[in-house]
Amino acid sequence: MSAAAMEMSCPPTAELIAAVQRADSSQGLLLATQALAACADPAAASTLVEVLGFNNPGAAVAAVDGLIHLGPGAVDALLQLDPENYGARAWAVRALAGIGDVRGLELLVDALGTDVAASVRRAAAKGLGALRLGDLEPARQAAIQARCLDALLAATADGEWVVRYAVVVGLEGLAKASPLEPAAQGALKAGLQRLQVVSAENPTVVQLRAQLALDHLSPP
Amino acid sequence: MLSSGDGRPASTGEGTPISEEEALRRLRQTSDPSQQYYGAWWLGRMRSQHPEAIPLLQGALRLRRPRDTGAGVEENAVARNAARALGKLAPAARCAIPDLLDTLEDPDDGLREAAARALGELQAPEAVAALCRRLSSGPEVAGGQRSDSPRLVEPCEALLEALGDIGVATPEVLAVVEPFTTHSRPIIRSAAARTLLQLSGDARWSGVLVELLDHPQLQVRRAALMDLGAAGWRPALEPIGRTLAENSLKLIALRGLVEQGKGDPGIPELLACMDSLL
């Protein structure tokens, strides 16, 4: 859709923001957030980030979708979030994981290593395998890859199967995104092999996903 | 300090790790029930293989007493957690099946519920007759609401699901379970359909569950997700994906489709859907 067409099909962003702030019911907030997310205007970012703190999961999902759609334009607003607001931070991790902007690196590493909620660690693990590094100079690219790899390898020992599953997906994404140095490549594969091992503590679904990742990385 | 729910102590979470020795010591002492409660929970959560764990849990299960006094609730809280822990210690805890069968006759329905779930986890065919007997008066009586609380006369959901987990698919068992698919509470209908799907593999019961994925109450949609996962019903992949519920629960359900199910859609499609929900 062209910018002109979008302007015609979408009320002014200020009106949509006002509607979110006016919403006085759970359903009303959900609908207003969906409308604001759909306008795809970077000016909506800070209001969408505010919605993450409203303790309304439906609206937060819509806001996360909208923020991911805004992409790098939403990152500043996300990083300004109050770190004490735990609920909002959990949603912000999901948004940053979906956007893949390297400015989210520290928050994702911290979330994967320390967040108490498995759903947040899970999103962070996937996000660390999906950062967009293409435009960076090689030395910076390698440094960020190394940070992602270290964080993901440490999380192969996470106590929750779903986080280890996401770690597999993150490691596979990291390896596929851009070439790794041989030592890093070896460490990454060793991490996947640990998660492929049959054991009572490691559910079959994690083993199967790790096998699939190893197959993808070493075509026969 | 004692809490209901999954039996995890409210104030002593994973923030204060203890050793296996310490968990056994807490369960062994008898002066502080809240310590015993935590010890029992810990042994199950950590899947303890210590030779003393199961005998101590059996002992804690025998400490139950009538629920009518304040002190009685404390004792039964320990017994409830002991039953739950024994279920987690399958298959080693099969030697505790007689104790759990006794507990299934306890007047405390919360204890009967915990015992039924543990017997299901231990896949104890010895329990089928007793589980069926508890349910045999049907949705109107066993599934009727108690006069003194919103709870049902029997812990129907746990009893039904235990029958599915144990997996004895005789016509007698199916005949006991089937009437519960018309129970007035959707959670009970879901549990009954799951059990029938597990026992018979008959696709018509999956229809009941898939329909409940659209139920207006989130709690019911969550239950139907868990039940489709437990039954490993792979044709439900697409409806599970679009259910309005947390991705965490959809991921658990899809893990069930991968691990418990067979046929189409195959593993690659199931894993691709899981990847998209992370």
Side-chain angles (χ1 to χ4, degrees), chain A residues 94 119 122-123 126 159-162 165-166 169 201 203-206 208-209 212, chain B residues 45 49 247-248 251-252 254-255 258-259 267-268 270-272 274-278:
Chain A
R94 280 170 214 173
S119 60
R122 170 189 102 205
K126 188 184 185 189
E160 294 288 339
W161 71 269
V162 77
Y165 184 101
V169 173
E201 287 77 37
T204 308
V205 72
V206 177
L208 288 169
R209 188 64 187 82
L212 185 69
Chain B
R45 175 73 175 81
Q49 294 181 17
N247 287 1
S248 306
L251 286 161
I252 295 171
L254 292 175
R255 175 186 166 189
V258 169
E259 296 185 354
I267 303 272
L270 296 170
L271 295 180
M274 289 181 70
D275 289 5
S276 74
L277 293 169
L278 297 171

Side-chain angles (χ1 to χ4, degrees), chain A residues 59-71:
Chain A
V61 167
V64 166
D65 287 346
L67 289 161
I68 291 174
H69 191 67
L70 288 175

Side-chain angles (χ1 to χ4, degrees), chain B residues 41-56:
Chain B
W41 172 81
W42 192 99
L43 294 172
R45 175 73 175 81
M46 300 300 170
R47 306 263 195 280
S48 169
Q49 294 181 17
H50 195 283
E52 274 189 66
I54 290 169
L56 279 171

